[in-house]
Amino acid sequence: MKWKWILCALLAFALLAGCGKEEDQAPLQEEPGAMEPVTAGNAQELLDKLTTEQKVAQLFFVRPDALDLSLTAETREDPQADGLTQASAEALDTLRDYPVGGFVFFGKNLEDPAQLAALMEGLTENSPVPPLFATDEEGGSVAQVANSNGFEVPQVDSMAQIGATGDPAQARQAAVTMGTYLQELGFHLDLAPVADVNSDPNNTTMADRDFHSNAEQAAMMVSAAVDGFHTAGVGCALKHFPGQGAASQGTHTGTAVTLKTWQEMLTCEIYPFQAGMASGADCVMVSHITTPNAVQQGDLPASLNPEMVTGKLRSELRFARVILTDSLSMAAITDTYEAGQAAMMAFQAGADILLMPEDLPAAYETILTAVEEGTISQQRLDESVLRILQLKEKYDLI
């Protein structure tokens, strides 16, 4: 699919060479398009059969550890703490109460391929709708599977190393490599590639995870990576919209801020996201970064901001596929918002998937109550659930 990279290179001339400069011309649009038509209509047929409770549960993608309600939020998030590695009777009881739409596996949930297969089988057999299995496999230091001792899979360089080559073919091959072993292990979605632009040399939080400091170079790499994941048969999610490369810090530890205007973002941070969307990325993950100069109520995290999620990503950039939040257990959210409040605000902002809330029962009950009381309409709920089910149909879960 070399034509995609050539197209990106040609389109790059339509943008300014440097990030952060404004220009009067209209921003480039690359027609990200709608979800690919499903051939059998299984998603709509299944949606019509689900209860309201089951629909609400589909919105939540959680760690397997969320099924152990005895764990504190701190323990679930602690990478050094023991993780859930078996589908215990207690965990399956929780799953029956909260039949979530998907699971995100981290290193502490992984021992070896046989253990992983058994855990996935147990979760699937006890779910009314087959769950989607995802992980965080970017390459380099962020590779849940490759950096786990029990898995003999290829090691992939960090995206910064790959981006430094200037060769999109290497980004594509890295995605093919990761996607191939993920697909063989039973995963359906990789929370990658990173589409941020490392536009601030003082920001070291994302330094080895970004492809490049140049928006056009990053865009070509992102486009190639999306093609590589799809070639391998797994979905992918662009992150962290609208871009964390110029942020003051990471959102894991507290509030992160970028002072750029939306127009400045359009000529830099947004460009790789547009390239990835144009290449068919299945999802876009919205960050918790605050953007006081880009949108109204810019002190709200982007993931909770209707203007950023619905106004910018869904409407202005015309992204019609699945939108998910970054983890709602991050300090940028939990320092200020209760779990139910954060889930409600993210869904009302326009997110489809509510990722890893700090308290699953509280978040679930808040959304369910809002639907039952009419604060959230059945139509709005159905729109998000249908997108999630279409993603599952695309990867042969339903």
Side-chain angles (χ1 to χ4, degrees), residues 62-108:
V62 301
R63 294 172 176 265
D65 314 273
L67 299 181
D68 185 345
L69 299 183
S70 70
L71 298 177
T72 65
E74 292 74 20
T75 301
R76 287 196 301 272
E77 294 294 309
D78 184 356
Q80 303 306 317
D82 290 339
L84 190 145
T85 57
Q86 296 180 339
S88 66
E90 294 79 10
L92 296 180
D93 284 342
T94 303
L95 180 57
R96 282 185 278 272
D97 290 335
Y98 306 100
V100 295
F103 292 92
V104 183
F105 293 78
F106 290 86
K108 65 180 184 176

Side-chain angles (χ1 to χ4, degrees), residues 3 12 18 61 79 98 144 173 180 183 235 262 292 302 320 323 349 375-376:
W3 65 269
F61 281 42
Y98 306 100
Q144 306 302 324
Q173 184 54 53
T180 297
Q183 195 274 338
W262 180 246
I323 296 175
T375 306
I376 294 174

Side-chain angles (χ1 to χ4, degrees), residues 203 205 243-244 246-259 287-292 298-302 331-333:
N203 180 1
T205 304
Q244 294 186 164
S248 57
Q249 65 175 13
T251 53
H252 287 268
T253 56
T255 301
V257 182
T258 180
L259 299 179
S287 168
H288 306 315
I289 192 171
T290 59
T291 57
D299 57 331
L300 282 177
I333 297 298

Side-chain angles (χ1 to χ4, degrees), residues 117-286:
L119 177 56
M120 287 178 168
E121 182 179 3
L123 296 174
T124 300
E125 289 181 347
N126 289 274
S127 298
V129 179
L132 188 147
F133 296 135
T135 193
D136 207 13
E137 200 82 0
E138 300 173 8
S141 62
V142 182
Q144 306 302 324
V145 175
N147 293 337
S148 296
N149 293 331
F151 294 83
E152 296 182 0
V153 299
Q155 293 286 328
V156 173
D157 288 340
S158 73
M159 295 305 99
Q161 292 173 292
I162 291 173
T165 68
D167 182 6
Q170 293 200 29
R172 183 184 185 279
Q173 184 54 53
V176 169
T177 298
M178 292 186 288
T180 297
Y181 66 70
L182 290 178
Q183 195 274 338
E184 291 174 351
L185 288 168
F187 290 101
H188 314 108
L189 178 69
D190 191 5
L191 301 181
V194 171
D196 300 324
V197 179
N198 189 20
S199 57
D200 183 353
N202 296 317
N203 180 1
T204 59
T205 304
M206 303 292 294
D208 67 336
R209 299 170 64 190
D210 300 335
F211 277 114
H212 214 275
S213 60
N214 178 275
E216 292 80 6
Q217 187 68 42
M220 287 189 286
M221 295 289 178
V222 168
S223 180
V226 169
D227 184 52
F229 283 120
H230 287 164
T231 297
V234 297
C236 59
L238 309 175
K239 61 186 186 184
H240 308 78
F241 184 87
Q244 294 186 164
S248 57
Q249 65 175 13
T251 53
H252 287 268
T253 56
T255 301
V257 182
T258 180
L259 299 179
K260 289 195 172 187
T261 66
W262 180 246
Q263 187 62 33
E264 288 172 330
M265 290 182 180
L266 284 172
T267 60
C268 184
E269 280 80 5
I270 302 302
Y271 186 47
F273 287 95
Q274 289 182 294
M277 289 188 287
S279 293
D282 303 272
C283 311
V284 172
M285 176 187 288
V286 183

Side-chain angles (χ1 to χ4, degrees), residues 60 240-242 244 251 255-256 284-291 295-313 323-358 363 366-367 380:
F60 293 97
H240 308 78
F241 184 87
Q244 294 186 164
T251 53
T255 301
V284 172
M285 176 187 288
V286 183
S287 168
H288 306 315
I289 192 171
T290 59
T291 57
V295 293
Q296 298 294 317
Q297 294 183 294
D299 57 331
L300 282 177
S303 58
L304 310 185
N305 193 312
E307 185 178 354
M308 185 60 76
V309 181
T310 297
K312 299 300 185 185
L313 179 55
I323 296 175
L324 69 157
T325 69
D326 206 339
S327 170
L328 293 172
S329 292
M330 288 182 177
I333 297 298
T334 60
D335 284 352
T336 304
Y337 306 96
E338 297 293 332
Q341 180 187 22
M344 182 72 168
M345 293 177 69
F347 192 69
Q348 289 183 314
D352 301 308
I353 292 174
L354 307 175
L355 190 68
M356 298 187 292
E358 183 181 31
T366 297
I367 299 295
R380 169 69 185 89

